[in-house]
Amino acid sequence: MKSPVQVRNARRVLCVFPRYTPSFGTFEYAYRLMGVRAFMPPQGILVIAGYLPEAWNILFIDENVHMATQRDFSWAEIVLVSGMHVQSDAIHDIARRARAAGRCSVLGGPSASACPEKYPDFDYLHLGEIGDATDALIERLDADAAPPPAQQIIATRERLPLTDFPIPAYHLIERGSYMLGSVQFSSGCPYRCEFCDIPALYGRQPRLKKPQQVLAELDAMIVRGPFGCIYFVDDNFIANRKAVRELLPHLVAWQKERGYPVHFACEATLNIAKLPDLLALMREAYFHTVFCGIETPELGALKAIAKQQNLTVPMLEGIEILNSYGLEVVSGIILGLDTDTVETAGRVNDFVDRSQIPVLTINLLQALPRTPLWDRLAAAGRLVDDTARESNVAFTLPYQDVVGSWLQCVRHAYRPEAVYARFAHNVRHTFPNRIKPPVTAARLNAANIRKALTCLSNIFLHVGLLGDYRRVFWGMAWPLLREGRIEDLIHIGLVAHHLITYARQCEAGRHTASNYASHGKQAA
């Protein structure tokens, strides 16, 4: 739905999404090989763009795709921004450019909602999710689009139900610019992990869209592709298991009716391995990947960070179960926990080898505002405000030892031989367990063929010919080529190239050790 506010003026709104700093999980080094520019469309600001009045003219620019120009700022009356803590430097830069152009600036999203005091440079702050504050903001901007004399803060008291959310303004994104598509089914998570800000921002009682809404969003998304994969950006896909069981048959039917145009990915807690009926439906719906926040293989550490849900099933057994349903597991790993010892890095490395998880985002602990971790460390005087450091946490181990452990784990996990060995395991034990969808026009078409040829030619050139690990690559590629498994070859070639390149940049000191830090380094 659109905002119910009856506006009298046709405002011009520039919606700007800030640049991310590079990270393991956003695959920057694969973009050139794919011919894309960014990871996936930002849901939050596109929902807001879809909610704004029909009479308003909206221009959306994702600065991960290309930067907004002076001409864009001059065109706009209002500059609307949304972002996360990790984007804070870029957020401030947008505010500076808006002010230089004399335009009214508005900031919403998770970072502003958690830390409004960090953003005095915006004219309006929208705190909380879309709701009554959004309508109040629209009323004020309709009445006067000039920057107010002093900053105005408007906070949501009554959230818009997810069942009333508009379809995100996918029609505003640049076709073919993204690696993945994105869609949301639920918001919130019932768990209370010490380091996570989701419960404070979005609640512990998951709120849901109707299956029909999700299907409509998928239809709107796929016309802006081609996308090989659409990612469910839910904080925890199985937060409401009854609702997911209701959704999945609709996804199965949608795939069959549309000819399996995409495969799906999601984020879920590891205890999803205890739900075989749900996993069977995910397999039928053509889910390929699930991100599990494993965080650490040390069981005592999981209890200390309130991640007990990972203790309900033995980790390696849970991963094998997910693999048996064709699901490639992606994992988050955190170093710098209070329970870490000098032996922790070795245990992480052993877990990486035994789990055979190809993709792991290995981070140093970062305390986020509005988390139990932040509150505990603040009370103990252990929050460090020093942008020269890789984390804002005063660790229990010496700082340089923790950073050294992180580098040791990154180096171990992302040696070319190690990456390809883990992918080889999945080629044998995970990928064959997926359904074999029929060849349809939605899968075999000119756009997808062009995309595949672009990927293959770039992988063969930059990895197979010019890469210093080309022998390792061809050891994987030749068998897949002989078997006609082109999609698997492309997937592995792209992802492995990013991981290996990113890890080397980390070793060279060009990337930060925490993907959640609000400051970052840029690769040369």
Side-chain angles (χ1 to χ4, degrees), residues 37 49 141 173 258 420 468 475 493:
R37 297 181 180 180
L141 294 174
I173 70 175
R258 300 294 187 274
Y420 276 94
D468 59 11

Side-chain angles (χ1 to χ4, degrees), residues 38-86:
F39 187 46
M40 61 183 176
Q43 281 279 314
I45 196 168
L46 289 173
V47 169
I48 294 294
Y51 187 74
L52 293 177
E54 194 74 48
W56 288 13
N57 298 305
I58 314 297
L59 174 63
F60 168 71
I61 294 179
D62 181 348
E63 295 206 321
N64 297 281
V65 176
H66 67 80
M67 300 295 287
T69 66
Q70 181 60 47
R71 183 177 181 179
D72 297 324
F73 283 95
S74 297
W75 169 85
E77 295 174 278
I78 301 156
V79 178
L80 193 152
V81 187
S82 176
M84 299 182 287
H85 298 310
V86 71

Side-chain angles (χ1 to χ4, degrees), residues 217-375:
E217 292 186 21
L218 290 173
D219 285 335
M221 167 62 67
I222 60 174
V223 300
R224 306 303 296 176
F227 298 105
C229 174
I230 290 183
Y231 192 96
F232 277 84
V233 298
D234 303 39
D235 311 310
N236 181 358
F237 188 63
I238 60 167
N240 185 315
R241 298 172 186 180
K242 179 181 178 182
V244 173
R245 287 188 175 96
E246 180 184 350
L247 170 68
L248 284 168
H250 291 275
L251 295 181
V252 173
W254 182 86
Q255 289 277 37
K256 291 178 178 178
E257 291 170 2
R258 300 294 187 274
Y260 296 87
V262 296
H263 59 264
F264 294 126
C266 69
E267 179 173 345
T269 42
L270 186 60
N271 54 1
I272 191 176
K274 298 179 67 177
L275 306 172
D277 62 322
L278 193 150
L279 291 172
L281 284 169
M282 290 177 67
R283 179 178 180 272
E284 291 301 309
Y286 212 36
F287 275 78
H288 279 198
T289 308
V290 57
F291 180 98
C292 294
I294 287 172
E295 319 309 355
T296 173
E298 297 183 325
L299 304 187
L302 289 172
K303 293 178 182 178
I305 60 175
K307 192 90 180 187
Q308 288 92 339
Q309 62 269 29
N310 279 6
L311 300 172
T312 62
V313 59
M315 284 188 183
L316 296 179
E317 178 184 327
I319 292 162
E320 288 180 2
I321 290 171
L322 297 178
N323 291 163
S324 73
Y325 286 91
L327 289 168
E328 178 187 322
V329 177
V330 176
S331 171
I333 296 290
I334 300 174
L335 290 165
L337 301 173
D338 283 3
T339 50
D340 282 6
T341 69
V342 293
E343 298 174 339
T344 295
R347 292 181 181 134
V348 168
N349 291 339
D350 181 64
F351 170 77
V352 171
D353 295 341
R354 295 176 64 197
S355 70
Q356 300 289 351
I357 296 175
V359 183
L360 306 104
T361 60
I362 304 174
N363 283 298
L364 286 191
L365 181 67
Q366 179 82 5
L368 299 178
R370 299 188 66 180
T371 63
L373 174 66
W374 176 281
D375 295 340

Side-chain angles (χ1 to χ4, degrees), residues 17-33:
F17 189 67
R19 284 187 61 82
Y20 285 114
T21 54
S23 73
F24 271 119
T26 48
F27 296 97
E28 282 84 354
Y29 295 105
Y31 297 164
R32 180 176 66 163
L33 306 187

Side-chain angles (χ1 to χ4, degrees), residues 472-488:
V472 179
F473 166 77
W474 286 113
M476 177 278 301
W478 280 121
L480 292 179
L481 284 170
R482 285 194 295 267
E483 296 173 23
R485 298 173 66 174
I486 304 302
E487 289 183 58
D488 291 343

Side-chain angles (χ1 to χ4, degrees), residues 1 41 50 71 76 84 86 90 93 98 112 123 160 171 230 285 304 355 371 403 409 423 453:
M1 61 175 286
R71 183 177 181 179
M84 299 182 287
V86 71
D93 182 61
D123 297 310
L160 186 73
H171 63 283
I230 290 183
S355 70
T371 63
V403 175
C409 291
F423 268 120
L453 290 174

